[in-house]
PDB file of all heavy atoms in Angstrom:
ATOM      1  N   ILE P 109     -84.104 167.620 -58.537  1.00 98.00           N
ATOM      2  CA  ILE P 109     -83.665 168.907 -58.015  1.00 98.00           C
ATOM      3  C   ILE P 109     -82.211 168.781 -57.653  1.00 98.00           C
ATOM      4  O   ILE P 109     -81.633 167.690 -57.665  1.00 98.00           O
ATOM      5  CB  ILE P 109     -84.501 169.381 -56.801  1.00 98.00           C
ATOM      6  CG1 ILE P 109     -84.309 168.443 -55.567  1.00 98.00           C
ATOM      7  CG2 ILE P 109     -85.976 169.461 -57.161  1.00 98.00           C
ATOM      8  CD1 ILE P 109     -84.952 168.949 -54.308  1.00 98.00           C
ATOM      9  N   ASN P 110     -81.567 169.923 -57.329  1.00 98.00           N
ATOM     10  CA  ASN P 110     -80.101 169.779 -57.007  1.00 98.00           C
ATOM     11  C   ASN P 110     -79.673 170.755 -55.902  1.00 98.00           C
ATOM     12  O   ASN P 110     -80.402 171.643 -55.502  1.00 98.00           O
ATOM     13  CB  ASN P 110     -79.280 169.973 -58.247  1.00 98.00           C
ATOM     14  CG  ASN P 110     -79.393 171.315 -58.903  1.00 98.00           C
ATOM     15  OD1 ASN P 110     -80.099 172.165 -58.440  1.00 98.00           O
ATOM     16  ND2 ASN P 110     -78.656 171.523 -59.982  1.00 98.00           N
ATOM     17  N   LEU P 111     -78.448 170.497 -55.430  1.00 98.00           N
ATOM     18  CA  LEU P 111     -77.796 171.346 -54.422  1.00 98.00           C
ATOM     19  C   LEU P 111     -76.315 171.315 -54.671  1.00 98.00           C
ATOM     20  O   LEU P 111     -75.814 170.550 -55.497  1.00 98.00           O
ATOM     21  CB  LEU P 111     -78.178 170.881 -53.028  1.00 98.00           C
ATOM     22  CG  LEU P 111     -78.079 169.364 -52.676  1.00 98.00           C
ATOM     23  CD1 LEU P 111     -76.702 168.866 -52.801  1.00 98.00           C
ATOM     24  CD2 LEU P 111     -78.589 169.076 -51.278  1.00 98.00           C
ATOM     25  N   HIS P 112     -75.590 172.206 -53.916  1.00 98.00           N
ATOM     26  CA  HIS P 112     -74.152 172.208 -54.107  1.00 98.00           C
ATOM     27  C   HIS P 112     -73.442 171.285 -53.119  1.00 98.00           C
ATOM     28  O   HIS P 112     -73.642 171.424 -51.908  1.00 98.00           O
ATOM     29  CB  HIS P 112     -73.613 173.661 -53.804  1.00 98.00           C
ATOM     30  CG  HIS P 112     -73.526 174.514 -55.005  1.00 98.00           C
ATOM     31  ND1 HIS P 112     -72.618 174.343 -56.032  1.00 98.00           N
ATOM     32  CD2 HIS P 112     -74.282 175.597 -55.381  1.00 98.00           C
ATOM     33  CE1 HIS P 112     -72.768 175.269 -56.932  1.00 98.00           C
ATOM     34  NE2 HIS P 112     -73.842 176.046 -56.595  1.00 98.00           N
ATOM     35  N   ALA P 113     -72.663 170.353 -53.607  1.00 98.00           N
ATOM     36  CA  ALA P 113     -71.921 169.460 -52.700  1.00 98.00           C
ATOM     37  C   ALA P 113     -71.002 170.257 -51.786  1.00 98.00           C
ATOM     38  O   ALA P 113     -70.638 169.788 -50.706  1.00 98.00           O
ATOM     39  CB  ALA P 113     -71.106 168.437 -53.529  1.00 98.00           C
ATOM     40  N   GLY P 114     -70.611 171.462 -52.192  1.00 96.00           N
ATOM     41  CA  GLY P 114     -69.737 172.318 -51.355  1.00 96.00           C
ATOM     42  C   GLY P 114     -70.393 172.722 -50.037  1.00 96.00           C
ATOM     43  O   GLY P 114     -69.697 173.212 -49.140  1.00 96.00           O
ATOM     44  N   GLY P 115     -71.699 172.466 -49.929  1.00 97.00           N
ATOM     45  CA  GLY P 115     -72.364 172.744 -48.619  1.00 97.00           C
ATOM     46  C   GLY P 115     -72.062 171.744 -47.558  1.00 97.00           C
ATOM     47  O   GLY P 115     -72.378 171.945 -46.417  1.00 97.00           O
ATOM     48  N   GLY P 116     -71.437 170.633 -47.941  1.00 98.00           N
ATOM     49  CA  GLY P 116     -71.002 169.648 -47.010  1.00 98.00           C
ATOM     50  C   GLY P 116     -71.995 168.467 -46.833  1.00 98.00           C
ATOM     51  O   GLY P 116     -73.166 168.550 -47.239  1.00 98.00           O
ATOM     52  N   ILE P 117     -71.491 167.400 -46.188  1.00 98.00           N
ATOM     53  CA  ILE P 117     -72.293 166.171 -46.057  1.00 98.00           C
ATOM     54  C   ILE P 117     -73.495 166.422 -45.192  1.00 98.00           C
ATOM     55  O   ILE P 117     -74.606 165.943 -45.441  1.00 98.00           O
ATOM     56  CB  ILE P 117     -71.415 165.039 -45.511  1.00 98.00           C
ATOM     57  CG1 ILE P 117     -70.381 164.639 -46.551  1.00 98.00           C
ATOM     58  CG2 ILE P 117     -72.279 163.830 -45.144  1.00 98.00           C
ATOM     59  CD1 ILE P 117     -69.390 163.570 -46.037  1.00 98.00           C
ATOM     60  N   THR P 118     -73.331 167.168 -44.105  1.00 98.00           N
ATOM     61  CA  THR P 118     -74.512 167.345 -43.169  1.00 98.00           C
ATOM     62  C   THR P 118     -75.614 168.108 -43.908  1.00 98.00           C
ATOM     63  O   THR P 118     -76.824 167.781 -43.754  1.00 98.00           O
ATOM     64  CB  THR P 118     -74.011 168.134 -41.924  1.00 98.00           C
ATOM     65  OG1 THR P 118     -72.899 167.492 -41.365  1.00 98.00           O
ATOM     66  CG2 THR P 118     -75.156 168.162 -40.872  1.00 98.00           C
ATOM     67  N   MET P 119     -75.265 169.133 -44.729  1.00 98.00           N
ATOM     68  CA  MET P 119     -76.291 169.843 -45.450  1.00 98.00           C
ATOM     69  C   MET P 119     -76.983 168.947 -46.462  1.00 98.00           C
ATOM     70  O   MET P 119     -78.193 168.946 -46.546  1.00 98.00           O
ATOM     71  CB  MET P 119     -75.668 171.053 -46.219  1.00 98.00           C
ATOM     72  CG  MET P 119     -76.689 171.902 -46.927  1.00 98.00           C
ATOM     73  SD  MET P 119     -76.025 172.838 -48.305  1.00 98.00           S
ATOM     74  CE  MET P 119     -75.882 171.566 -49.593  1.00 98.00           C
ATOM     75  N   MET P 120     -76.173 168.128 -47.185  1.00 98.00           N
ATOM     76  CA  MET P 120     -76.757 167.257 -48.188  1.00 98.00           C
ATOM     77  C   MET P 120     -77.679 166.257 -47.532  1.00 98.00           C
ATOM     78  O   MET P 120     -78.778 165.938 -48.050  1.00 98.00           O
ATOM     79  CB  MET P 120     -75.620 166.540 -48.989  1.00 98.00           C
ATOM     80  CG  MET P 120     -74.894 167.480 -49.913  1.00 98.00           C
ATOM     81  SD  MET P 120     -73.853 166.640 -51.102  1.00 98.00           S
ATOM     82  CE  MET P 120     -72.385 166.343 -50.180  1.00 98.00           C
ATOM     83  N   ARG P 121     -77.204 165.663 -46.396  1.00 98.00           N
ATOM     84  CA  ARG P 121     -78.055 164.672 -45.737  1.00 98.00           C
ATOM     85  C   ARG P 121     -79.350 165.289 -45.202  1.00 98.00           C
ATOM     86  O   ARG P 121     -80.406 164.656 -45.277  1.00 98.00           O
ATOM     87  CB  ARG P 121     -77.273 164.054 -44.572  1.00 98.00           C
ATOM     88  CG  ARG P 121     -77.914 162.777 -43.990  1.00 98.00           C
ATOM     89  CD  ARG P 121     -77.047 162.113 -43.009  1.00 98.00           C
ATOM     90  NE  ARG P 121     -75.945 161.346 -43.606  1.00 98.00           N
ATOM     91  CZ  ARG P 121     -74.674 161.425 -43.185  1.00 98.00           C
ATOM     92  NH1 ARG P 121     -74.384 162.165 -42.114  1.00 98.00           N
ATOM     93  NH2 ARG P 121     -73.753 160.725 -43.738  1.00 98.00           N
ATOM     94  N   ALA P 122     -79.272 166.482 -44.705  1.00 98.00           N
ATOM     95  CA  ALA P 122     -80.488 167.153 -44.197  1.00 98.00           C
ATOM     96  C   ALA P 122     -81.513 167.316 -45.341  1.00 98.00           C
ATOM     97  O   ALA P 122     -82.719 167.085 -45.152  1.00 98.00           O
ATOM     98  CB  ALA P 122     -80.147 168.504 -43.620  1.00 98.00           C
ATOM     99  N   ALA P 123     -81.012 167.709 -46.528  1.00 98.00           N
ATOM    100  CA  ALA P 123     -81.952 167.875 -47.636  1.00 98.00           C
ATOM    101  C   ALA P 123     -82.514 166.535 -48.120  1.00 98.00           C
ATOM    102  O   ALA P 123     -83.692 166.396 -48.392  1.00 98.00           O
ATOM    103  CB  ALA P 123     -81.187 168.545 -48.837  1.00 98.00           C
ATOM    104  N   ALA P 124     -81.618 165.519 -48.167  1.00 98.00           N
ATOM    105  CA  ALA P 124     -82.080 164.154 -48.580  1.00 98.00           C
ATOM    106  C   ALA P 124     -83.128 163.595 -47.606  1.00 98.00           C
ATOM    107  O   ALA P 124     -84.155 163.043 -47.998  1.00 98.00           O
ATOM    108  CB  ALA P 124     -80.917 163.205 -48.693  1.00 98.00           C
ATOM    109  N   ASP P 125     -82.887 163.769 -46.302  1.00 97.00           N
ATOM    110  CA  ASP P 125     -83.816 163.378 -45.280  1.00 97.00           C
ATOM    111  C   ASP P 125     -85.150 164.073 -45.392  1.00 97.00           C
ATOM    112  O   ASP P 125     -86.239 163.467 -45.228  1.00 97.00           O
ATOM    113  CB  ASP P 125     -83.264 163.507 -43.872  1.00 97.00           C
ATOM    114  CG  ASP P 125     -82.090 162.568 -43.574  1.00 97.00           C
ATOM    115  OD1 ASP P 125     -81.930 161.594 -44.375  1.00 97.00           O
ATOM    116  OD2 ASP P 125     -81.372 162.783 -42.590  1.00 97.00           O
ATOM    117  N   ALA P 126     -85.040 165.375 -45.663  1.00 97.00           N
ATOM    118  CA  ALA P 126     -86.310 166.188 -45.802  1.00 97.00           C
ATOM    119  C   ALA P 126     -87.160 165.632 -46.948  1.00 97.00           C
ATOM    120  O   ALA P 126     -88.360 165.570 -46.810  1.00 97.00           O
ATOM    121  CB  ALA P 126     -85.973 167.617 -46.031  1.00 97.00           C
ATOM    122  N   LEU P 127     -86.508 165.234 -48.039  1.00 96.00           N
ATOM    123  CA  LEU P 127     -87.273 164.697 -49.175  1.00 96.00           C
ATOM    124  C   LEU P 127     -87.945 163.430 -48.805  1.00 96.00           C
ATOM    125  O   LEU P 127     -89.052 163.128 -49.258  1.00 96.00           O
ATOM    126  CB  LEU P 127     -86.368 164.498 -50.396  1.00 96.00           C
ATOM    127  CG  LEU P 127     -85.841 165.767 -51.058  1.00 96.00           C
ATOM    128  CD1 LEU P 127     -85.041 165.435 -52.301  1.00 96.00           C
ATOM    129  CD2 LEU P 127     -86.965 166.730 -51.409  1.00 96.00           C
ATOM    130  N   ARG P 128     -87.216 162.552 -48.105  1.00 92.00           N
ATOM    131  CA  ARG P 128     -87.793 161.263 -47.724  1.00 92.00           C
ATOM    132  C   ARG P 128     -89.020 161.402 -46.819  1.00 92.00           C
ATOM    133  O   ARG P 128     -89.889 160.567 -46.829  1.00 92.00           O
ATOM    134  CB  ARG P 128     -86.681 160.407 -47.015  1.00 92.00           C
ATOM    135  CG  ARG P 128     -85.976 159.518 -48.021  1.00 92.00           C
ATOM    136  CD  ARG P 128     -85.071 158.515 -47.310  1.00 92.00           C
ATOM    137  NE  ARG P 128     -83.896 159.169 -46.785  1.00 92.00           N
ATOM    138  CZ  ARG P 128     -82.823 159.450 -47.471  1.00 92.00           C
ATOM    139  NH1 ARG P 128     -82.779 159.068 -48.717  1.00 92.00           N
ATOM    140  NH2 ARG P 128     -81.822 160.071 -46.922  1.00 92.00           N
ATOM    141  N   ASP P 129     -89.027 162.500 -46.028  1.00 84.00           N
ATOM    142  CA  ASP P 129     -90.131 162.706 -45.069  1.00 84.00           C
ATOM    143  C   ASP P 129     -91.329 163.391 -45.734  1.00 84.00           C
ATOM    144  O   ASP P 129     -92.357 163.623 -45.074  1.00 84.00           O
ATOM    145  CB  ASP P 129     -89.660 163.578 -43.889  1.00 84.00           C
ATOM    146  CG  ASP P 129     -88.667 162.789 -43.032  1.00 84.00           C
ATOM    147  OD1 ASP P 129     -88.602 161.573 -43.201  1.00 84.00           O
ATOM    148  OD2 ASP P 129     -87.916 163.477 -42.273  1.00 84.00           O
ATOM    149  N   THR P 130     -91.200 163.778 -47.022  1.00 84.00           N
ATOM    150  CA  THR P 130     -92.267 164.501 -47.687  1.00 84.00           C
ATOM    151  C   THR P 130     -93.193 163.495 -48.370  1.00 84.00           C
ATOM    152  O   THR P 130     -92.716 162.522 -48.947  1.00 84.00           O
ATOM    153  CB  THR P 130     -91.682 165.470 -48.769  1.00 84.00           C
ATOM    154  OG1 THR P 130     -90.643 166.212 -48.143  1.00 84.00           O
ATOM    155  CG2 THR P 130     -92.692 166.407 -49.317  1.00 84.00           C
ATOM    156  N   PRO P 131     -94.534 163.702 -48.270  1.00 83.00           N
ATOM    157  CA  PRO P 131     -95.440 162.720 -48.866  1.00 83.00           C
ATOM    158  C   PRO P 131     -95.308 162.672 -50.425  1.00 83.00           C
ATOM    159  O   PRO P 131     -94.892 163.673 -51.023  1.00 83.00           O
ATOM    160  CB  PRO P 131     -96.830 163.235 -48.487  1.00 83.00           C
ATOM    161  CG  PRO P 131     -96.700 164.548 -47.810  1.00 83.00           C
ATOM    162  CD  PRO P 131     -95.208 164.782 -47.546  1.00 83.00           C
ATOM    163  N   GLY P 132     -95.613 161.534 -51.000  1.00 84.00           N
ATOM    164  CA  GLY P 132     -95.540 161.460 -52.443  1.00 84.00           C
ATOM    165  C   GLY P 132     -94.177 160.974 -52.929  1.00 84.00           C
ATOM    166  O   GLY P 132     -93.260 160.773 -52.147  1.00 84.00           O
ATOM    167  N   GLU P 133     -94.060 160.865 -54.254  1.00 90.00           N
ATOM    168  CA  GLU P 133     -92.773 160.389 -54.888  1.00 90.00           C
ATOM    169  C   GLU P 133     -91.773 161.512 -54.800  1.00 90.00           C
ATOM    170  O   GLU P 133     -91.994 162.616 -55.354  1.00 90.00           O
ATOM    171  CB  GLU P 133     -93.129 160.068 -56.319  1.00 90.00           C
ATOM    172  CG  GLU P 133     -91.932 159.669 -57.201  1.00 90.00           C
ATOM    173  CD  GLU P 133     -91.532 158.228 -56.985  1.00 90.00           C
ATOM    174  OE1 GLU P 133     -92.247 157.449 -56.304  1.00 90.00           O
ATOM    175  OE2 GLU P 133     -90.409 157.891 -57.463  1.00 90.00           O
ATOM    176  N   PRO P 134     -90.624 161.336 -54.096  1.00 95.00           N
ATOM    177  CA  PRO P 134     -89.680 162.454 -53.991  1.00 95.00           C
ATOM    178  C   PRO P 134     -88.896 162.627 -55.338  1.00 95.00           C
ATOM    179  O   PRO P 134     -88.684 161.633 -56.043  1.00 95.00           O
ATOM    180  CB  PRO P 134     -88.721 162.002 -52.870  1.00 95.00           C
ATOM    181  CG  PRO P 134     -88.821 160.505 -52.876  1.00 95.00           C
ATOM    182  CD  PRO P 134     -90.148 160.130 -53.389  1.00 95.00           C
ATOM    183  N   PRO P 135     -88.467 163.853 -55.641  1.00 97.00           N
ATOM    184  CA  PRO P 135     -87.650 164.069 -56.821  1.00 97.00           C
ATOM    185  C   PRO P 135     -86.237 163.439 -56.560  1.00 97.00           C
ATOM    186  O   PRO P 135     -85.831 163.284 -55.433  1.00 97.00           O
ATOM    187  CB  PRO P 135     -87.521 165.557 -56.932  1.00 97.00           C
ATOM    188  CG  PRO P 135     -87.829 166.099 -55.549  1.00 97.00           C
ATOM    189  CD  PRO P 135     -88.713 165.116 -54.866  1.00 97.00           C
ATOM    190  N   LEU P 136     -85.540 163.118 -57.667  1.00 98.00           N
ATOM    191  CA  LEU P 136     -84.142 162.721 -57.513  1.00 98.00           C
ATOM    192  C   LEU P 136     -83.402 163.952 -57.009  1.00 98.00           C
ATOM    193  O   LEU P 136     -83.695 165.069 -57.407  1.00 98.00           O
ATOM    194  CB  LEU P 136     -83.587 162.334 -58.909  1.00 98.00           C
ATOM    195  CG  LEU P 136     -84.171 161.087 -59.550  1.00 98.00           C
ATOM    196  CD1 LEU P 136     -83.711 160.963 -61.008  1.00 98.00           C
ATOM    197  CD2 LEU P 136     -83.791 159.845 -58.756  1.00 98.00           C
ATOM    198  N   LEU P 137     -82.428 163.684 -56.102  1.00 98.00           N
ATOM    199  CA  LEU P 137     -81.594 164.769 -55.561  1.00 98.00           C
ATOM    200  C   LEU P 137     -80.185 164.608 -56.007  1.00 98.00           C
ATOM    201  O   LEU P 137     -79.556 163.588 -55.757  1.00 98.00           O
ATOM    202  CB  LEU P 137     -81.722 164.783 -53.974  1.00 98.00           C
ATOM    203  CG  LEU P 137     -80.938 165.874 -53.288  1.00 98.00           C
ATOM    204  CD1 LEU P 137     -81.468 167.262 -53.704  1.00 98.00           C
ATOM    205  CD2 LEU P 137     -81.018 165.713 -51.767  1.00 98.00           C
TER     206      LEU P 137
END
Side-chain angles (χ1 to χ4, degrees):
I109 66 172
N110 64 357
L111 47 63
H112 270 289
I117 293 176
T118 310
M119 183 203 79
M120 290 192 275
R121 190 173 289 133
D125 289 348
L127 291 184
R128 267 189 286 278
D129 293 343
T130 309
E133 175 80 10
L136 294 170
L137 182 59

